[in-house]
Amino acid sequence: MRYSFHDITRVMHCLSPDNRTFLVLQAILAEGDNVRTIVKFLSHEQSIEREEAVSLLLELSKSEALCEKIGSVNGAILILVGMISSKSENLSTVEKADKTLGNLEKCENNVRQMAENGRLRPLLNQILEGTSSELNVSMIFEFHASIKGVLSLCTCTIFF
């Protein structure tokens, strides 16, 4: 018997993250290419499939270990960032994508990817709070250069 993302998400959402069944479901979904498959559904045309995939990623992102796995899937963070800035996406999907990104901030590599894809607040928070243990100087310079480029572009736009 096959279960849909919706069925799995509903079960996980009803359980506490400390519940044994929740943890077993997380472990099963973490195996193999399951996370990559879920991320692929974020690109589907049908909004129902996208929303179910985001809901499932939100539940999985409650685990720090799975945050790393989600972030390591090529394009996952880029798609989620794009979803929260989309005018055509439904509000529920946008909120779930935003919460998922909030959970993914637990991992420094994810924060870097978010910054590279235009979601700068997590990186700024790490820099200001000094909570980043491995945040290297080159990342700060890259961030500074990207902000300087944006500010230069804004200044040029104002003068023309």
Side-chain angles (χ1 to χ4, degrees):
M1 175 181 274
R2 292 187 59 93
Y3 296 98
S4 70
F5 287 160
H6 181 71
D7 296 330
I8 296 168
T9 304
R10 231 180 13 205
V11 169
M12 291 183 81
H13 188 68
C14 292
L15 300 170
S16 161
D18 298 331
N19 183 293
R20 187 180 183 104
T21 306
F22 183 91
L23 297 173
V24 169
L25 281 171
Q26 269 189 336
I28 291 168
L29 290 169
E31 291 177 0
D33 283 341
N34 290 330
V35 173
R36 186 177 315 280
T37 301
I38 296 167
V39 169
K40 284 182 183 179
F41 275 89
L42 294 177
S43 299
H44 275 224
E45 293 292 320
Q46 295 182 9
S47 62
I48 293 169
E49 292 173 340
R50 260 194 326 270
E51 185 169 357
E52 289 178 2
V54 171
S55 296
L56 190 49
L57 285 176
L58 175 59
E59 293 302 318
L60 294 176
S61 68
K62 293 176 181 175
S63 159
E64 195 166 331
L66 284 174
C67 283
E68 256 183 70
K69 186 154 189 159
I70 294 167
S72 72
V73 174
N74 193 23
I77 290 176
L78 173 64
I79 295 169
L80 289 167
V81 169
M83 290 175 95
I84 63 169
S85 61
S86 172
K87 302 287 187 217
S88 62
E89 205 66 60
N90 85 38
L91 187 58
S92 173
T93 303
V94 170
E95 289 174 356
K96 289 174 184 175
D98 191 46
K99 288 178 183 177
T100 302
L101 285 168
N103 290 342
L104 295 179
E105 291 174 17
K106 298 172 197 164
C107 301
E108 193 169 301
N109 287 334
N110 294 346
V111 171
R112 285 187 177 128
Q113 283 188 59
M114 287 178 207
E116 290 166 1
N117 291 292
R119 186 175 170 103
L120 300 173
R121 186 169 306 276
L123 178 61
L124 280 172
N125 289 341
Q126 281 192 355
I127 292 170
L128 294 173
E129 295 169 4
T131 57
S132 176
S133 59
E134 296 179 19
L135 187 64
N136 60 30
V137 175
S138 67
M139 187 64 188
I140 294 172
F141 283 124
E142 287 174 32
F143 172 73
H144 179 265
S146 66
I147 291 297
K148 187 176 176 184
V150 168
L151 292 176
S152 296
L153 181 61
C154 291
T155 306
C156 291
T157 305
I158 293 170
F159 287 119
F160 292 109

